[in-house]
Amino acid sequence: MSIELKKVSKRFVDNVVLDGVDFFVAEGETVALLGPSGVGKSVLLKHIIGLIKPDSGEVWVDGQQVPLLGRKALALLRSRIGYVFQNGALFDSMDVFENIRLGITDEQQYADKDYCIQRVKECLRLVNLNEDVGSKLPSELSGGMRKRVGISRAIAGKPVYLLYDEPTSGLDPVNADVIDSLIERLQQEIGVTSVVVTHDVRGAFRVADRIALLSKAKIRAVGTAEEIVASQDPVVQQFLERDLEMAVIQANEVPTGERRIGGR
């Protein structure tokens, strides 16, 4: 029930994105993958779900080597993985209920309308949204609410693994805290094995058991928040200092009247 990348390398033309990367997430653990924007964090995440194949190295999920799986086996594995997209990736033509229902991976359950009603209701509850949100269109929701609906869809199929791609990007600090709280609570309530891709140091320190820093195609540091802070690697220290500066700038740019819980 673990996730492991062994010596994974990936390049796109002349751009080396991953260079011999080792990455491990134990069963029930949450690991945050930190790094600047554009460094390859999302590429690593897509290797886990089999959307991208490595040029070399191995990708193991659930005791299976992902790049070697056939179509049916890969589809079965993906049914055990919930994926939270960076921009929510909701379908504008569908209401929230149908968007969340798409996350139900079992065909019989998906066809059972009564089951879907109860499951969507439960998923909305888990992300602190009222049942009546199900009848709204994505365009009627705030950015924070759309993020939460995206998480609802990711957990609708009762996954064993949850992959978050920049879950707090584009949100003000208060709404980012709301999403971080949800990630923490979901970990406690449904006990999934999670990877959180982010460039937000504060959020990573809050939600993760361990943290990995990806920089210049390599994992530069892995450890608890305390171990990362204590690292003497200048690349790690530079990243931490830059994130602190950005957090102060972002907090000062958000008008007081816009700091509302849940994006309402």
Side-chain angles (χ1 to χ4, degrees):
M1 304 280 273
S2 63
I3 296 170
E4 185 170 14
L5 278 67
K6 300 179 180 180
K7 305 298 181 187
V8 168
S9 294
K10 185 67 182 180
R11 71 161 59 210
F12 298 103
V13 192
D14 294 329
N15 182 25
V16 178
V17 182
L18 302 174
D19 184 12
V21 166
D22 292 317
F23 182 74
F24 179 75
V25 188
E27 181 179 353
E29 185 181 33
T30 297
V31 174
L33 182 62
L34 273 174
S37 297
V39 77
K41 303 186 300 296
S42 296
V43 170
L44 188 151
L45 210 61
K46 289 171 182 174
H47 276 80
I48 295 171
I49 202 169
L51 292 174
I52 295 176
K53 289 189 176 183
D55 296 332
S56 62
E58 300 175 1
V59 181
W60 292 86
V61 179
D62 220 26
Q64 303 172 85
Q65 195 170 168
V66 179
L68 303 183
L69 295 178
R71 243 176 107 184
K72 288 186 178 179
L74 182 58
L76 183 60
L77 176 64
R78 286 175 176 167
S79 72
R80 294 166 59 79
I81 302 173
Y83 197 107
V84 180
F85 294 89
Q86 182 172 346
N87 59 2
L90 302 179
F91 292 93
D92 293 334
S93 59
M94 297 180 176
D95 62 20
V96 166
F97 175 88
E98 290 299 337
N99 267 284
I100 296 174
R101 187 185 181 193
L102 285 174
I104 298 174
T105 53
D106 182 279
E107 292 184 7
Q108 289 186 330
Q109 292 176 343
Y110 181 85
D112 184 339
K113 194 64 178 287
D114 290 335
Y115 174 84
C116 291
I117 290 171
Q118 291 305 311
R119 184 59 188 158
V120 170
K121 181 179 178 180
E122 172 65 6
C123 290
L124 287 170
R125 181 194 70 78
L126 285 167
V127 299
N128 298 333
L129 288 175
N130 295 327
E131 184 180 349
D132 59 6
V133 172
S135 62
K136 296 181 181 295
L137 290 171
S139 60
E140 300 177 89
L141 306 179
S142 67
M145 293 175 76
R146 285 196 294 272
K147 292 274 190 180
R148 285 190 273 168
V149 170
I151 294 173
S152 280
R153 182 178 59 191
I155 63 176
K158 299 183 178 180
V160 177
Y161 305 93
L162 263 179
L163 309 180
Y164 298 87
D165 191 357
E166 299 281 6
T168 61
S169 67
L171 298 180
D172 63 74
V174 172
N175 279 311
D177 281 345
V178 171
I179 298 299
D180 288 338
S181 294
L182 285 175
I183 293 172
E184 282 187 297
R185 189 161 65 83
L186 286 173
Q187 186 66 20
Q188 294 166 1
E189 288 200 27
I190 63 180
V192 289
T193 301
S194 303
V195 179
V196 182
V197 159
T198 183
H199 60 269
D200 176 14
V201 172
R202 187 182 63 149
F205 281 14
R206 177 176 175 180
V207 305
D209 300 304
R210 289 187 303 119
I211 294 153
L213 176 64
L214 182 65
S215 178
K216 296 181 180 178
K218 293 182 179 293
I219 298 289
R220 292 298 297 249
V222 181
T224 63
E226 293 79 9
E227 290 168 340
I228 295 295
V229 169
S231 172
Q232 298 302 306
D233 187 327
V235 172
V236 176
Q237 289 302 316
Q238 183 180 17
F239 181 78
L240 295 179
E241 289 169 7
R242 184 177 65 177
D243 182 84
L244 178 61
E245 291 173 2
M246 291 301 296
V248 171
I249 292 170
Q250 185 183 30
N252 290 335
E253 286 179 345
V254 179
T256 303
E258 292 183 10
R259 296 179 185 178
R260 294 169 295 187
I261 298 295
R264 293 181 182 276

